[in-house]
């Protein structure tokens, strides 16, 4: 029998209560990792951990809070006996024309999507450098972090930041045996995308069905991504 590829590894996933994060946590556990499931919504984190079973536990985490990130990472490492993997996945989105976008919404997207990745990655890297251990980070960016998306200028800016930060950090810590990558999902079937379909339909004066058909038409495989598609790529990395 083939041993799971991540047997004995200890992972922490942010934004793991629903959607892509939930799929990541489940996929990591399937491959043998013990998983700290974190989310702003504690109940959602605990629900995901409950689905996984004894190889996981759930805890609340606001990724925009530096002190909370350090504390949660320390507690997770204590409970699991260490930390080998970080999946910085927590993120939000909203849609507005730039002319209607206010500073609060810009700041909110930047705080969760960009600053949240920075604080999470920093907490993991600090621990590994202090311990002299190696680790792997996978950040969740977006295809909107590679090609600017209309109605998502603030979201795109935050995800471009994730891509650039990932590249810079990877070069900085590679000599210490720490690997840093990011994934850039496309149109993924999640509750966040369901909200985006409604927002975009209103902004474009189209039906939800027409917007979704446009998403599919832009996807070479001819279907929407599933959260598990993204999770499988992250497990590989």
């Amino acid at each position: 029998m083939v041993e799971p590829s991540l047997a004995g590894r200890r992972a922490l996933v942010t934004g793991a209560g629903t959607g892509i994060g939930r799929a990541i946590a489940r996929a990591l556990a399937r491959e043998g990792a013990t998983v700290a499931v974190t989310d702003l919504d504690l109940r959602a984190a605990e629900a995901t951990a409950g689905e996984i079973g004894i190889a996981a536990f759930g805890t609340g985490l606001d990724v925009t809070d530096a002190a909370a990130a350090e504390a949660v990472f320390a507690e997770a490492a204590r409970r699991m006996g260490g930390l080998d993997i970080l999946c910085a996945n927590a993120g939000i989105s909203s849609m507005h024309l730039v002319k209607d976008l206010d500073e609060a919404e810009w700041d909110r997207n930047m705080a969760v999507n960009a600053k949240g990745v920075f604080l999470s990655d920093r907490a993991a890297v600090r621990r590994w450098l202090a311990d002299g251990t190696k680790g792997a980070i996978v950040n969740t960016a977006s295809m909107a972090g590679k090609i600017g998306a209309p109605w998502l200028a603030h979201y795109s800016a935050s995800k471009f930041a994730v891509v650039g930060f990932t590249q810079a950090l990877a070069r900085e810590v590679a000599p210490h045996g720490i690997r840093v990558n990011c994934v850039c999902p496309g149109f993924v079937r999640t509750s966040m995308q369901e909200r985006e379909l409604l927002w975009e339909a209103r902004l474009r004066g189209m039906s939800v069905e027409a917007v979704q058909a446009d998403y599919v038409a832009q996807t070479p495989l001819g279907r929407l991504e599933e959260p598990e598609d993204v999770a499988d790529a992250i497990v590989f990395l």
Side-chain angles (χ1 to χ4, degrees), residues 90-135:
I92 60 170
S93 70
S94 61
M95 281 191 178
H96 299 281
L97 294 167
V98 170
K99 70 180 183 65
D100 299 323
L101 180 64
D102 62 34
E103 290 181 58
E105 197 61 26
W106 172 276
D107 291 345
R108 181 168 171 263
N109 273 259
M110 286 294 180
V112 177
N113 298 342
K115 182 181 177 182
V117 166
F118 154 60
L119 293 176
S120 299
D121 286 14
R122 187 180 69 175
V125 166
R126 280 177 168 175
R127 176 165 299 277
W128 293 330
L129 292 177
D131 295 343
T133 56
K134 300 175 182 179

Side-chain angles (χ1 to χ4, degrees), residues 146-168:
K146 301 180 81 173
I147 302 172
W151 313 290
L152 286 166
H154 50 314
Y155 177 81
S156 280
S158 70
K159 293 299 188 176
F160 267 82
V162 172
V163 173
F165 176 73
T166 298
Q167 292 176 352

Side-chain angles (χ1 to χ4, degrees), residues 34 75 81 85-86 96-97 121 142 145 153 159 175 186:
T34 301
E75 176 62 14
I85 299 165
L86 165 64
H96 299 281
L97 294 167
D121 286 14
S142 169
K159 293 299 188 176

Side-chain angles (χ1 to χ4, degrees), residues 64-90:
T64 69
D65 184 330
E70 295 288 345
V72 167
F73 275 65
E75 176 62 14
R78 185 192 67 80
R79 291 183 63 171
M80 296 188 294
L83 182 68
D84 306 294
I85 299 165
L86 165 64
C87 297
N89 168 78

Side-chain angles (χ1 to χ4, degrees), residues 20 89 139-145 155 182-188 225 230 234:
I20 293 172
N89 168 78
N139 298 321
T140 301
S142 169
M143 69 174 181
Y155 177 81
C182 68
V183 294
C184 295
F187 300 109
V188 186
E225 286 181 69
V230 184
I234 288 171

